[in-house]
Amino acid sequence: MNNPLRDARDRRLNRIAGPGALVFFGITGDLARKKLMPAVYDLANRGLLPPNFAIVGFGRRDWSAEDFTAQAREWILASSRTPFNETVFAQLASGMRFISGAFDDDDAYRKLAETLDELAESRSTGRNHAFYLSIPPSWFEIVCQKLSEHHLANDSNPGWERVVIEKPFGHNLQSARELNEIVESVFPADQVFRIDHYLGKETVQNLLALRFGNQMFEPLWNNKYVDHVQITMAEDIGIGGRASYYDGVGAARDVIQNHLLQLLALTAMEEPISFNADHLRSEKEKVLSAVELPEDLGAASARGQYTSGWQGAEEVVGFLDEEGFNPKSKTETYAAVRLNIKTRRWDGVPFYLRAGKRLGRRVTEIAVVFKKAPNLLFGDHDSDEFGQNAFVIRVQPDEGATIRIASKVPGTQMEIRDVTMDFGYGNAFTESSPEAYERLILDVLLGEPPLFPRHEEVEQSWRILDPFEEYWASQPSQPDPYAPGSWGPASSDELMAKDGRTWRRP
């Protein structure tokens, strides 16, 4: 009798990455220190990396391999999800190397080539290389060109070569197309992994399971029953020290173009034939291509900038007073847009997307709000006592889902109130959810791209956002002010009020 634990079809078994080397450009940056290196360690600690796995850091610091290893230890101790294991770290550290140099330094790339050759011999990496570009987008072209010039991205290599690119993927449609051409002139399209860490979150992936693995939802998931959809990403922090990145980018480019439009696509897409990358991406692309822009962009959008004031017990400075910002900057810290999807399923159902900083609390959620039931039996009840059913998927921080329904209050009277049925990941499963970067880095090493948007999705997202950005840029006034700790400017509430709706207060 076959042992199910040894059966390759047993889906309880984790897939383990094969031999390879992961090269981090920009290893000394915040993302690598706080997320990427801890994620690699957590993968190793969970037994998902081979013992001979190699890590190469590439940065400007004048570090030896020992210096890099010591720094990596500190980063992992500070930010890893799983407990620190000295044996696991020692195994990982034995494969760590560091290349000191600028991103346009030919000598550094020669050293990188020599190091990868050495690792192929000493650690049997199979010449499988993933290049992770955790660097400003302005360097993407140069790094890709240098990798090509020094034969580090070469079809004749016996192993595989992949490139991982962090957002933003350009700053508009034209720049995104130019960036795609540059990257795909060096790496084959199926070896380019565009990271959107939101797609690695358990709850985002669970959205597909909830939709297509449960018969109760799909019959209602259409314009006959759904009134509207709200997708929110709210942060309770300000810009902090990110002036050099954020000024000129803003909430819409930073969040709506990638995270929220990806969530829209997953919410609205048709069921794919399979979870094969091509099938999943094809359905998302169909939805994004069906997004129709409103005729009046001003009436269908709102922008804001947070002012100084109190957020809870903390007095905070306004956006224009943050260090490094132009006091006349028109960059928004809050953006909201209304979109329509011209498909048989969704025609007439508005999708409202909003993102902002210094809001009431940190939360990301998708709320599918259903049409009101005919109020025939309960006409004497105040409409505020019970409203519309809603299915809310919480992406962060308390991952889970909530269904809002009307129910009778205990007692002798027929009194109705809204109640919720709640599912939380932390309560339902004993195993904690892996960090998004764990899942995404492992998928890169396995060569599995379903969670990574290809360039068609990126370009469709910019097609949707660019007209709003151009309209906002043409306006002479500043974005509307809003108080820290609030839920955005008054113009955002007016956007919903015009349609007879209100924003949820998570």
Side-chain angles (χ1 to χ4, degrees), residues 352-381:
Y352 300 94
L353 280 57
R354 61 173 169 169
K357 294 186 177 293
R358 290 267 180 238
L359 298 181
R361 60 167 295 199
R362 174 176 173 261
V363 63
T364 299
E365 68 172 32
I366 304 161
V368 179
V369 182
F370 293 90
K371 295 179 179 179
K372 284 192 174 183
N375 196 4
L376 302 178
L377 291 175
F378 311 106
D380 57 341
H381 283 68

Side-chain angles (χ1 to χ4, degrees), residues 64-75:
S64 64
E66 291 75 19
D67 295 329
F68 174 40
T69 300
Q71 291 292 326
R73 182 189 182 93
E74 292 182 14
W75 303 339

Side-chain angles (χ1 to χ4, degrees), residues 371-392:
K371 295 179 179 179
K372 284 192 174 183
N375 196 4
L376 302 178
L377 291 175
F378 311 106
D380 57 341
H381 283 68
D382 189 327
S383 61
D384 290 337
E385 292 179 353
F386 65 100
Q388 294 164 273
N389 299 144
F391 180 47
V392 181

Side-chain angles (χ1 to χ4, degrees), residues 298-301 338 491 493-501:
S301 67
R338 182 184 70 233
S491 55
D493 291 328
E494 292 166 6
L495 163 65
M496 296 291 278
K498 292 170 190 172
D499 298 339
R501 300 183 175 95

Side-chain angles (χ1 to χ4, degrees), residues 59-246:
R60 297 176 183 271
R61 304 288 175 86
D62 187 18
W63 285 351
S64 64
E66 291 75 19
D67 295 329
F68 174 40
T69 300
Q71 291 292 326
R73 182 189 182 93
E74 292 182 14
W75 303 339
I76 289 165
L77 283 168
S79 303
S80 65
R81 181 179 64 89
T82 59
F84 188 80
N85 183 306
E86 195 68 57
T87 302
V88 171
F89 180 76
Q91 181 67 57
L92 199 61
S94 64
M96 289 185 184
R97 306 288 188 272
F98 189 80
I99 305 299
S100 180
F103 299 140
D104 57 356
D105 182 352
D106 285 303
D107 286 340
Y109 287 89
R110 281 189 282 271
K111 292 175 186 174
L112 175 59
E114 293 169 2
T115 298
L116 293 177
D117 287 341
E118 178 264 315
L119 289 170
E121 295 296 324
S122 66
R123 298 187 68 81
S124 301
T125 59
R127 298 190 181 278
N128 297 320
H129 307 141
F131 302 101
Y132 199 121
L133 307 190
S134 179
I135 58 178
S138 57
W139 285 104
F140 288 168
E141 179 177 3
I142 291 172
V143 171
C144 287
Q145 287 175 346
K146 293 297 181 185
L147 290 173
S148 179
E149 290 171 9
H150 291 272
H151 307 291
L152 292 164
N154 190 338
D155 289 340
S156 63
N157 184 10
W160 49 254
E161 287 151 343
R162 297 170 186 147
V163 65
V164 186
I165 302 175
E166 278 283 346
K167 76 173 185 73
F169 315 116
H171 61 273
N172 57 21
L173 178 57
Q174 180 180 347
S175 62
R177 285 174 172 164
E178 292 171 353
L179 176 58
N180 284 325
E181 290 175 3
I182 290 165
V183 174
E184 293 184 6
S185 69
V186 177
F187 293 90
D190 61 354
Q191 299 299 303
V192 178
F193 291 73
R194 297 167 183 84
I195 286 272
D196 184 337
H197 72 272
Y198 259 59
L199 299 185
K201 291 182 178 292
E202 275 304 321
T203 10
V204 174
Q205 298 167 54
N206 193 41
L207 176 57
L208 299 177
L210 289 168
R211 280 197 59 193
F212 303 124
N214 296 287
Q215 183 65 18
M216 63 186 295
F217 295 125
E218 191 61 18
L220 308 178
W221 214 259
N222 55 61
N223 53 11
K224 292 182 181 179
Y225 299 99
V226 176
D227 179 77
H228 70 280
V229 178
Q230 297 182 26
I231 303 178
T232 298
M233 179 179 170
E235 296 179 271
D236 56 5
I237 58 173
I239 303 304
R242 299 179 68 211
S244 60
Y245 166 74
Y246 203 84

Side-chain angles (χ1 to χ4, degrees), residues 300-329:
S301 67
R303 290 201 311 158
Q305 290 177 337
Y306 62 81
T307 61
S308 60
W310 289 89
Q311 185 160 21
E314 180 186 7
E315 188 173 12
V316 299
V317 299
F319 170 73
L320 297 178
D321 298 319
E322 295 271 13
E323 185 178 351
F325 275 92
N326 180 344
K328 296 182 180 180
S329 172

Side-chain angles (χ1 to χ4, degrees), residues 427-441:
N427 299 325
F429 300 106
T430 57
E431 183 178 352
S432 61
S433 299
E435 280 286 331
Y437 279 103
E438 290 177 52
R439 170 67 186 269
L440 296 173
I441 289 173

